[in-house]
Amino acid sequence: QVFKLNAQTGAVLLKLGDGRAAAGPSSFNKPTDVAVERGSGEVYVADGYGNSRIAVFSSSGEYLREWGSAGSQPGQFRVPHGIVIDSRGLVYVADRENSRVQVFTQAGALVTVWASRVGADKGFGSNLVWRAHVSSVSYDPSLDLFAVTEGSNVILRSATGCTLLSRGPFLWPHDAILLPPLGPATPPALAGSWRANAGRPFSFAVAELEGKRVTQYEVRLGSGRAGLQSMYG
């Protein structure tokens, strides 16, 4: 099931799913993540371990549409494990077992695929299968930047999918989130662009399953070793 809660009281404001492990408009099978489209309030559910789909609901909980099926072809999923919507309205899905991020329109049309290098690392033993996972994707609109957990690293990517910074290794990084730039608020003219904010400090936090910890790191883009940039980014 998926719950919407009051942030102050914890009261349940909305519940999606009937509690049965199934497919269809009223059920999920081990959903993994949720994203909300800020304009419409539509709820996008990565569903998940049992179902290989993205299910979309209105802000009031009405089932609207879905896309995806099990497999490794473009538009298919093998454990859609993370989901986020950027400021352009595009939907990004961390397709864990397929070692990639897939990018869609809100209608479910495939836009592009960010294949991860960790996809080549399929030969690890059963206790290291996570080394080939792309487990999560997060987004910060003030920087127009993504943090993706790929194998043992957290990769910061531009909106075109270019790698701007790799930080790690971590012990089974399961999730990572970007935190806004530190210091004074970003001037409106600079908001929404990591290039315009180059040199300003910001941070990300990463949760490690094997490391049994959550750690926050400060980084900068555009200065020093942490500012190494792709010419295609």
Side-chain angles (χ1 to χ4, degrees):
Q1 293 178 297
V2 173
F3 297 90
K4 178 182 178 180
L5 306 177
N6 182 294
Q8 281 72 44
T9 67
V12 176
L13 304 177
L14 180 68
K15 181 177 72 172
L16 303 177
D18 55 17
R20 297 182 303 114
S26 59
S27 300
F28 303 112
N29 195 344
K30 299 180 181 179
T32 53
D33 201 9
V34 175
V36 177
E37 205 286 314
R38 292 189 177 187
S40 65
E42 288 184 351
V43 181
Y44 291 69
V45 182
D47 180 33
Y49 282 98
N51 296 325
S52 299
R53 64 171 181 166
I54 304 302
V56 186
F57 299 81
S58 72
S59 59
S60 61
E62 177 188 1
Y63 171 84
L64 298 177
R65 59 190 178 276
E66 66 178 76
W67 71 85
S69 60
S72 57
Q73 295 300 309
Q76 294 184 313
F77 304 108
R78 292 176 60 215
V79 188
H81 201 261
I83 186 168
V84 72
I85 302 173
D86 75 358
S87 57
R88 301 166 188 80
L90 295 175
V91 181
Y92 298 73
V93 180
D95 188 8
R96 193 184 76 172
E97 305 293 322
N98 283 325
S99 309
R100 63 190 180 185
V101 172
Q102 297 197 77
V103 186
F104 300 89
T105 68
Q106 293 180 26
L110 183 65
V111 176
T112 190
V113 176
W114 298 351
S116 174
R117 294 177 181 176
V118 303
D121 296 336
K122 299 291 188 181
F124 294 107
S126 59
N127 62 329
L128 292 175
V129 293
W130 57 268
R131 294 280 295 273
H133 287 172
V134 173
S135 295
S136 72
V137 55
S138 72
Y139 175 72
D140 181 73
S142 68
L143 292 165
D144 197 20
L145 194 66
F146 297 82
V148 186
T149 55
E150 304 183 28
S152 59
N153 294 304
V154 174
I155 310 295
L156 301 188
R157 291 181 178 268
S158 70
T160 58
C162 293
T163 297
L164 304 176
L165 174 69
S166 177
R167 185 61 62 87
F170 299 103
L171 294 174
W172 199 337
H174 190 265
D175 199 6
I177 60 169
L178 281 165
L179 301 172
L182 304 175
T186 304
L190 301 183
S193 169
W194 67 263
R195 291 183 184 277
N197 282 280
R200 296 191 70 205
F202 64 97
S203 61
F204 70 88
V206 56
E208 300 172 72
L209 285 183
E210 288 295 329
K212 300 177 177 63
R213 61 188 177 186
V214 176
T215 310
Q216 182 176 341
Y217 296 87
E218 180 180 311
V219 293
R220 296 172 187 261
L221 293 177
S223 61
R225 292 185 60 190
L228 295 178
Q229 302 167 7
S230 165
M231 63 183 290
Y232 304 107

PDB file of all heavy atoms in Angstrom, residues 179-197:
ATOM      1  N   LEU A 179      20.633  17.540  -1.431  1.00  0.00           N
ATOM      2  CA  LEU A 179      20.181  18.594  -0.535  1.00  0.00           C
ATOM      3  C   LEU A 179      20.532  19.937  -1.156  1.00  0.00           C
ATOM      4  O   LEU A 179      21.562  20.070  -1.828  1.00  0.00           O
ATOM      5  CB  LEU A 179      20.837  18.440   0.834  1.00  0.00           C
ATOM      6  CG  LEU A 179      20.550  17.087   1.508  1.00  0.00           C
ATOM      7  CD1 LEU A 179      21.396  16.924   2.760  1.00  0.00           C
ATOM      8  CD2 LEU A 179      19.079  16.953   1.843  1.00  0.00           C
ATOM      9  N   PRO A 180      19.710  20.962  -0.962  1.00  0.00           N
ATOM     10  CA  PRO A 180      19.911  22.252  -1.642  1.00  0.00           C
ATOM     11  C   PRO A 180      21.252  22.878  -1.297  1.00  0.00           C
ATOM     12  O   PRO A 180      21.873  22.543  -0.271  1.00  0.00           O
ATOM     13  CB  PRO A 180      18.754  23.108  -1.117  1.00  0.00           C
ATOM     14  CG  PRO A 180      17.736  22.126  -0.640  1.00  0.00           C
ATOM     15  CD  PRO A 180      18.506  20.947  -0.124  1.00  0.00           C
ATOM     16  N   PRO A 181      21.719  23.808  -2.128  1.00  0.00           N
ATOM     17  CA  PRO A 181      22.984  24.498  -1.845  1.00  0.00           C
ATOM     18  C   PRO A 181      22.967  25.167  -0.480  1.00  0.00           C
ATOM     19  O   PRO A 181      21.935  25.670  -0.031  1.00  0.00           O
ATOM     20  CB  PRO A 181      23.078  25.537  -2.970  1.00  0.00           C
ATOM     21  CG  PRO A 181      22.259  24.969  -4.078  1.00  0.00           C
ATOM     22  CD  PRO A 181      21.139  24.227  -3.404  1.00  0.00           C
ATOM     23  N   LEU A 182      24.137  25.180   0.166  1.00  0.00           N
ATOM     24  CA  LEU A 182      24.260  25.808   1.466  1.00  0.00           C
ATOM     25  C   LEU A 182      24.427  27.313   1.314  1.00  0.00           C
ATOM     26  O   LEU A 182      24.792  27.809   0.252  1.00  0.00           O
ATOM     27  CB  LEU A 182      25.465  25.220   2.207  1.00  0.00           C
ATOM     28  CG  LEU A 182      25.471  23.696   2.383  1.00  0.00           C
ATOM     29  CD1 LEU A 182      26.773  23.255   3.025  1.00  0.00           C
ATOM     30  CD2 LEU A 182      24.281  23.243   3.212  1.00  0.00           C
ATOM     31  N   GLY A 183      24.175  28.040   2.395  1.00  0.00           N
ATOM     32  CA  GLY A 183      24.376  29.478   2.375  1.00  0.00           C
ATOM     33  C   GLY A 183      23.152  30.227   1.917  1.00  0.00           C
ATOM     34  O   GLY A 183      22.030  29.706   1.944  1.00  0.00           O
ATOM     35  N   PRO A 184      23.325  31.473   1.456  1.00  0.00           N
ATOM     36  CA  PRO A 184      22.184  32.301   1.041  1.00  0.00           C
ATOM     37  C   PRO A 184      21.385  31.638  -0.069  1.00  0.00           C
ATOM     38  O   PRO A 184      21.904  30.829  -0.845  1.00  0.00           O
ATOM     39  CB  PRO A 184      22.839  33.602   0.552  1.00  0.00           C
ATOM     40  CG  PRO A 184      24.181  33.612   1.212  1.00  0.00           C
ATOM     41  CD  PRO A 184      24.601  32.173   1.329  1.00  0.00           C
ATOM     42  N   ALA A 185      20.121  31.982  -0.144  1.00  0.00           N
ATOM     43  CA  ALA A 185      19.251  31.420  -1.177  1.00  0.00           C
ATOM     44  C   ALA A 185      19.794  31.733  -2.565  1.00  0.00           C
ATOM     45  O   ALA A 185      20.362  32.794  -2.805  1.00  0.00           O
ATOM     46  CB  ALA A 185      17.835  31.978  -1.034  1.00  0.00           C
ATOM     47  N   THR A 186      19.598  30.800  -3.475  1.00  0.00           N
ATOM     48  CA  THR A 186      20.052  30.999  -4.844  1.00  0.00           C
ATOM     49  C   THR A 186      19.260  32.122  -5.509  1.00  0.00           C
ATOM     50  O   THR A 186      18.029  32.104  -5.494  1.00  0.00           O
ATOM     51  CB  THR A 186      19.856  29.702  -5.656  1.00  0.00           C
ATOM     52  OG1 THR A 186      20.528  28.641  -4.998  1.00  0.00           O
ATOM     53  CG2 THR A 186      20.395  29.861  -7.065  1.00  0.00           C
ATOM     54  N   PRO A 187      19.933  33.111  -6.085  1.00  0.00           N
ATOM     55  CA  PRO A 187      19.199  34.176  -6.793  1.00  0.00           C
ATOM     56  C   PRO A 187      18.336  33.570  -7.892  1.00  0.00           C
ATOM     57  O   PRO A 187      18.729  32.587  -8.527  1.00  0.00           O
ATOM     58  CB  PRO A 187      20.316  35.039  -7.373  1.00  0.00           C
ATOM     59  CG  PRO A 187      21.510  34.756  -6.514  1.00  0.00           C
ATOM     60  CD  PRO A 187      21.381  33.319  -6.106  1.00  0.00           C
ATOM     61  N   PRO A 188      17.152  34.108  -8.135  1.00  0.00           N
ATOM     62  CA  PRO A 188      16.260  33.528  -9.148  1.00  0.00           C
ATOM     63  C   PRO A 188      16.926  33.331 -10.499  1.00  0.00           C
ATOM     64  O   PRO A 188      16.653  32.361 -11.201  1.00  0.00           O
ATOM     65  CB  PRO A 188      15.115  34.558  -9.228  1.00  0.00           C
ATOM     66  CG  PRO A 188      15.110  35.207  -7.872  1.00  0.00           C
ATOM     67  CD  PRO A 188      16.553  35.265  -7.451  1.00  0.00           C
ATOM     68  N   ALA A 189      17.829  34.245 -10.862  1.00  0.00           N
ATOM     69  CA  ALA A 189      18.480  34.144 -12.172  1.00  0.00           C
ATOM     70  C   ALA A 189      19.398  32.931 -12.265  1.00  0.00           C
ATOM     71  O   ALA A 189      19.722  32.469 -13.362  1.00  0.00           O
ATOM     72  CB  ALA A 189      19.278  35.403 -12.461  1.00  0.00           C
ATOM     73  N   LEU A 190      19.827  32.389 -11.109  1.00  0.00           N
ATOM     74  CA  LEU A 190      20.745  31.254 -11.096  1.00  0.00           C
ATOM     75  C   LEU A 190      20.051  29.938 -10.779  1.00  0.00           C
ATOM     76  O   LEU A 190      20.645  28.873 -10.917  1.00  0.00           O
ATOM     77  CB  LEU A 190      21.858  31.475 -10.064  1.00  0.00           C
ATOM     78  CG  LEU A 190      22.736  32.707 -10.252  1.00  0.00           C
ATOM     79  CD1 LEU A 190      23.817  32.739  -9.188  1.00  0.00           C
ATOM     80  CD2 LEU A 190      23.349  32.742 -11.647  1.00  0.00           C
ATOM     81  N   ALA A 191      18.807  30.009 -10.328  1.00  0.00           N
ATOM     82  CA  ALA A 191      18.114  28.789  -9.913  1.00  0.00           C
ATOM     83  C   ALA A 191      17.907  27.856 -11.102  1.00  0.00           C
ATOM     84  O   ALA A 191      17.715  28.284 -12.238  1.00  0.00           O
ATOM     85  CB  ALA A 191      16.770  29.142  -9.287  1.00  0.00           C
ATOM     86  N   GLY A 192      17.936  26.570 -10.817  1.00  0.00           N
ATOM     87  CA  GLY A 192      17.651  25.576 -11.836  1.00  0.00           C
ATOM     88  C   GLY A 192      18.798  25.288 -12.768  1.00  0.00           C
ATOM     89  O   GLY A 192      18.584  24.778 -13.866  1.00  0.00           O
ATOM     90  N   SER A 193      20.031  25.567 -12.369  1.00  0.00           N
ATOM     91  CA  SER A 193      21.172  25.309 -13.232  1.00  0.00           C
ATOM     92  C   SER A 193      22.400  25.008 -12.394  1.00  0.00           C
ATOM     93  O   SER A 193      22.860  25.865 -11.643  1.00  0.00           O
ATOM     94  CB  SER A 193      21.457  26.525 -14.137  1.00  0.00           C
ATOM     95  OG  SER A 193      22.706  26.373 -14.781  1.00  0.00           O
ATOM     96  N   TRP A 194      22.947  23.817 -12.522  1.00  0.00           N
ATOM     97  CA  TRP A 194      24.175  23.508 -11.782  1.00  0.00           C
ATOM     98  C   TRP A 194      25.347  24.286 -12.351  1.00  0.00           C
ATOM     99  O   TRP A 194      26.288  24.631 -11.629  1.00  0.00           O
ATOM    100  CB  TRP A 194      24.454  22.007 -11.803  1.00  0.00           C
ATOM    101  CG  TRP A 194      24.803  21.428 -13.143  1.00  0.00           C
ATOM    102  CD1 TRP A 194      23.968  20.801 -14.009  1.00  0.00           C
ATOM    103  CD2 TRP A 194      26.102  21.401 -13.760  1.00  0.00           C
ATOM    104  NE1 TRP A 194      24.645  20.405 -15.141  1.00  0.00           N
ATOM    105  CE2 TRP A 194      25.960  20.757 -15.008  1.00  0.00           C
ATOM    106  CE3 TRP A 194      27.354  21.864 -13.379  1.00  0.00           C
ATOM    107  CZ2 TRP A 194      27.030  20.567 -15.880  1.00  0.00           C
ATOM    108  CZ3 TRP A 194      28.421  21.682 -14.249  1.00  0.00           C
ATOM    109  CH2 TRP A 194      28.252  21.032 -15.485  1.00  0.00           C
ATOM    110  N   ARG A 195      25.324  24.615 -13.648  1.00  0.00           N
ATOM    111  CA  ARG A 195      26.420  25.393 -14.229  1.00  0.00           C
ATOM    112  C   ARG A 195      26.478  26.785 -13.606  1.00  0.00           C
ATOM    113  O   ARG A 195      27.552  27.291 -13.258  1.00  0.00           O
ATOM    114  CB  ARG A 195      26.233  25.514 -15.746  1.00  0.00           C
ATOM    115  CG  ARG A 195      26.419  24.205 -16.515  1.00  0.00           C
ATOM    116  CD  ARG A 195      26.297  24.451 -18.001  1.00  0.00           C
ATOM    117  NE  ARG A 195      26.371  23.233 -18.773  1.00  0.00           N
ATOM    118  CZ  ARG A 195      27.492  22.636 -19.130  1.00  0.00           C
ATOM    119  NH1 ARG A 195      28.653  23.155 -18.770  1.00  0.00           N
ATOM    120  NH2 ARG A 195      27.468  21.524 -19.846  1.00  0.00           N
ATOM    121  N   ALA A 196      25.305  27.432 -13.466  1.00  0.00           N
ATOM    122  CA  ALA A 196      25.277  28.769 -12.892  1.00  0.00           C
ATOM    123  C   ALA A 196      25.663  28.758 -11.423  1.00  0.00           C
ATOM    124  O   ALA A 196      26.134  29.760 -10.891  1.00  0.00           O
ATOM    125  CB  ALA A 196      23.885  29.379 -13.067  1.00  0.00           C
ATOM    126  N   ASN A 197      25.469  27.606 -10.761  1.00  0.00           N
ATOM    127  CA  ASN A 197      25.808  27.481  -9.343  1.00  0.00           C
ATOM    128  C   ASN A 197      27.183  26.860  -9.120  1.00  0.00           C
ATOM    129  O   ASN A 197      27.508  26.469  -7.991  1.00  0.00           O
ATOM    130  CB  ASN A 197      24.751  26.644  -8.626  1.00  0.00           C
ATOM    131  CG  ASN A 197      23.486  27.427  -8.343  1.00  0.00           C
ATOM    132  OD1 ASN A 197      23.421  28.189  -7.391  1.00  0.00           O
ATOM    133  ND2 ASN A 197      22.479  27.244  -9.196  1.00  0.00           N
TER     134      ASN A 197
END
